[in-house]
Amino acid sequence: MDAGLQKELEEKVLSGSRLTYDDGVALYASDDLAWLGELAHQVRTQRHGDAVYFNVNRHLNLTNVCVASCAYCSFERKPGQAAAYTMRLAEAIRLAQAMEPEGITELHIVNGLHPTLPWKYYPRSLRELKKVLPQVALKAFTATEIHYFEQISGLPADEILDELIDAGLESLTGGGAEIFDWEVRSQIVDHKTHWEDWSRIHRLAHSKGLRTPATMLYGHIEEPRHRVDHVLRLRGLQDETGGFVVFIPLRFHNDNNRLSHLPMATGAEALKTFAVSRLLLDNFDHVKCFWVMHGLTTAQLALNYGADDLDGSVVEYKITHDADGFGTPDKLTREDLLELIRDAGFRPVERNTRYEIIRTYDAPDPGRRDTPQPIWA
Ligand code: SF4
């Protein structure tokens, strides 16, 4: 990038002017990662100071049986296939209750599009979970699942969401977004939910008072311009509803799926994606680095490239952990998360699903980093 354009973009960011599609493409074309990080970090620090948010949660996948076969998916199985499962409700409740002593505040529930389970299974699951864990927020179902429930029930999303909210739903999850651009999407997505239905369902959820996350699956066949298009669609929808609570770039993993021949995004590409997303999304409060999909070291670095949230304890993440060959742990305890955040130089802040603060913890000892390491000859 020439120095003139770099200065122009910097001035736009520092004056709070909204960046355009061309600006986003130009930012991705820059090879000055430190500069991008510094800009994104300024924006992130203006919003959140030295805070890094996390929660104590558990991911739960009630079934991995799915009628679709998305090219990037390492999770889905067909009925009868080895490792295909559908959880009995008692098992889901047992797993969720096991987290009670750790002070869990959220269950994150995402599933395959099961061919024969009746739609009523899903509100019943929420009701049963809410009955035994009334203090735990239920963040459940992607827009793709809600769209699928419309198809299997014959009901409109309006009535589906009303029933799920009545059963205890607090938020949708942000998945199913992948990359909205059809040029890319048509090659990798096998289910029927695209931008029109994804945005319709989140808009409807926001109109009912739910606040939802939004994701982007990056680092496969898309180009930077598709990422820019993706986040600008989200920015436009956020202008309209104000209902998105966080943006989450998810790094594509290349094991056990039909895109295994592709290399994965490098750590530098991940950091660039966080930085550019933070700069473009001027109406999103939070950018999350989901540590499971980036590894702990890149997740810590991302906190200096625009991210301010690390998700949570997770416990079990089958969607990439069926694909992860990098030794990323399955679970972090609250103490692990506090240590991870402090070790990166930030102050841990525990939040709930709506990003309301539960507890602010001590920042790391500032003296620690100023002390030179002793060197022995
Ligand atoms: S991404 Fe979701 S819809 Fe697509 S195959 Fe995997 S589980 Fe099914």
Side-chain angles (χ1 to χ4, degrees):
M1 181 187 296
D2 72 62
L5 180 56
Q6 187 161 348
K7 192 161 185 311
E8 192 186 308
L9 289 171
E10 196 169 314
E11 281 170 5
K12 265 182 121 167
V13 169
L14 297 180
S15 67
S17 304
R18 179 161 268 199
L19 298 177
T20 64
Y21 173 86
D22 288 342
D23 293 338
V25 172
L27 289 169
Y28 269 113
S30 168
D31 56 7
D32 193 342
L33 188 59
W35 172 71
L36 283 171
E38 191 186 346
L39 272 186
H41 192 62
Q42 282 192 48
V43 172
R44 170 248 186 277
T45 303
Q46 270 167 18
R47 284 179 181 267
H48 304 295
D50 65 348
V52 167
Y53 301 86
F54 74 97
N55 69 351
V56 178
N57 63 356
R58 192 195 203 286
H59 286 236
L60 204 55
N61 308 118
L62 299 173
T63 179
N64 64 352
V65 178
C66 187
V67 293
S69 300
C70 300
Y72 51 83
C73 183
S74 312
F75 169 67
E76 64 92 6
R77 299 290 185 275
K78 297 301 171 219
Q81 213 177 339
Y85 74 89
T86 299
M87 217 177 259
R88 290 174 45 197
L89 219 40
E91 175 68 357
I93 289 169
R94 187 189 67 75
L95 292 172
Q97 279 183 315
M99 284 288 288
E100 248 186 317
E102 299 188 37
I104 183 175
T105 61
E106 175 188 276
L107 277 174
H108 179 121
I109 305 168
V110 173
N111 317 290
L113 309 176
H114 196 284
T116 54
L117 277 176
W119 129 252
K120 286 285 183 186
Y121 168 83
Y122 301 96
R124 196 168 66 235
S125 304
L126 295 194
R127 281 204 170 85
E128 294 299 316
L129 287 164
K130 200 69 191 172
K131 208 185 292 173
V132 294
L133 294 167
Q135 76 288 6
V136 173
L138 302 177
K139 183 168 78 177
F141 314 123
T142 61
T144 307
E145 290 178 84
I146 301 294
H147 191 203
Y148 186 65
F149 298 158
E150 285 186 297
Q151 292 155 38
I152 60 175
S153 69
L155 297 170
D158 188 39
E159 286 178 38
I160 284 170
L161 286 176
D162 282 347
E163 175 144 7
L164 292 174
I165 291 167
D166 185 62
L169 182 77
E170 173 138 348
S171 171
L172 296 180
T173 67
E178 327 313 356
I179 288 285
F180 291 128
D181 185 288
W182 186 246
E183 188 185 350
V184 173
R185 195 171 186 86
S186 59
Q187 296 183 63
I188 62 167
V189 171
D190 185 47
H191 58 71
K192 295 188 172 62
T193 311
H194 309 304
W195 166 248
E196 293 70 19
D197 287 303
W198 194 97
S199 56
R200 170 178 64 87
I201 287 163
H202 278 267
R203 184 183 287 112
L204 191 59
H206 297 168
S207 76
K208 291 177 185 295
L210 301 187
R211 301 204 67 204
T212 66
T215 63
M216 171 176 76
L217 185 73
Y218 73 93
H220 41 87
I221 62 167
E222 91 291 359
E223 296 173 20
R225 65 189 166 95
H226 300 120
R227 293 180 210 165
V228 174
D229 170 75
H230 187 94
V231 300
L232 292 192
R233 290 187 200 216
L234 293 172
R235 188 174 79 180
L237 186 52
Q238 179 75 329
D239 278 343
E240 203 188 306
T241 70
F244 288 116
V245 73
V246 59
F247 176 65
I248 315 165
L250 300 171
R251 181 166 67 151
F252 161 71
H253 279 236
N254 67 358
D255 282 347
N256 299 325
N257 56 49
R258 285 190 285 117
L259 298 180
S260 295
H261 56 287
L262 297 176
M264 279 170 50
T266 61
E269 190 61 29
L271 297 178
K272 184 184 272 191
T273 303
F274 278 95
V276 178
S277 302
R278 177 64 281 174
L279 294 173
L280 289 172
L281 288 172
D282 55 11
N283 55 3
F284 274 62
D285 271 345
H286 299 281
V287 174
K288 179 192 289 186
C289 182
F290 186 37
W291 58 264
V292 177
M293 292 181 98
H294 290 90
L296 301 184
T297 309
T298 304
Q300 284 182 307
L301 283 169
L303 301 176
N304 293 281
Y305 285 77
D308 60 271
D309 185 272
L310 282 184
D311 198 79
S313 38
V314 179
V315 181
E316 187 174 30
Y317 190 67
K318 290 175 180 295
I319 290 173
T320 51
H321 258 185
D322 279 7
D324 187 333
F326 298 98
T328 307
D330 274 330
K331 170 182 180 176
L332 295 178
T333 63
R334 181 186 278 105
E335 288 308 313
D336 294 334
L337 284 157
L338 296 178
E339 174 60 25
L340 190 73
I341 293 167
R342 288 197 183 113
D343 183 52
F346 294 89
R347 177 191 302 272
V349 177
E350 186 172 345
R351 60 161 178 86
N352 65 14
T353 302
R354 289 180 171 256
Y355 281 79
E356 291 155 351
I357 293 176
I358 294 174
R359 181 174 167 188
T360 299
Y361 292 83
D362 290 339
D365 174 4
R368 191 181 60 156
R369 287 178 181 274
D370 296 339
T371 309
Q373 288 226 296
I375 297 171
W376 288 274

